[in-house]
């Protein structure tokens, strides 16, 4: 998790964040008169990743209302555990830091079981 990421739970004790997505040090387009690229970080990088992941899931599984209501549960129950740093043997991030874990779209698309509530 990025050091600038918000930790949960919310003030009213809801489970947040639900899960983590790549959002730090992402090569992205940036608006300039001729168009350009830069390495950026933040919600503006993670949100398009999540939106694209959800769109891919709905494209493959179907876009009915019933399937759309399960997307969050599927993504949360198929995440990857996230280490607290890149050092071998470090403890895992806590639920209040990364939620259920780091999104794994491949696992979500190939799971046979839905756990709800995630």
């Amino acid at each position: 998790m990025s050091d600038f990421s918000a930790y949960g739970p919310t003030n009213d004790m809801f489970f947040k964040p639900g899960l983590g997505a790549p959002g730090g040090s992402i090569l992205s387009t940036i608006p300039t008169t001729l168009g350009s690229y830069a390495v950026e970080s933040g919600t503006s990088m993670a949100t398009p990743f999540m939106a694209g992941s959800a769109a891919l899931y709905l494209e493959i599984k179907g876009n009915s209302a019933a399937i759309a209501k399960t997307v969050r549960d599927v993504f949360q129950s198929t995440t990857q555990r996230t280490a607290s740093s890149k050092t071998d043997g470090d403890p895992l991030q806590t639920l209040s830091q990364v939620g259920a874990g780091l999104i794994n779209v491949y696992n979500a698309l190939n799971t046979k079981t839905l756990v709800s509530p995630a």
Side-chain angles (χ1 to χ4, degrees), residues 32-85:
T32 63
T33 54
L34 299 175
S36 187
Y37 298 92
V39 175
E40 300 286 338
S41 296
T43 306
S44 298
M45 301 295 108
T47 300
F49 187 93
M50 286 301 303
S53 300
L56 178 63
Y57 183 85
L58 294 172
E59 176 68 24
I60 291 173
K61 299 292 185 176
N63 60 0
S64 70
I67 292 174
K69 289 178 182 178
T70 67
V71 172
R72 180 179 172 150
D73 285 340
V74 170
F75 283 150
Q76 282 185 324
S77 61
T78 58
T79 58
Q80 288 180 234
R81 297 178 298 167
T82 307
S84 59
S85 77

Side-chain angles (χ1 to χ4, degrees), residues 6-19 72 76 95-97 99:
Y7 293 175
T10 64
N11 291 337
D12 46 2
M13 300 307 288
F14 284 106
F15 179 64
K16 295 287 181 189
L19 55 99
R72 180 179 172 150
Q76 282 185 324
L95 290 174
S96 65
Q97 293 172 311

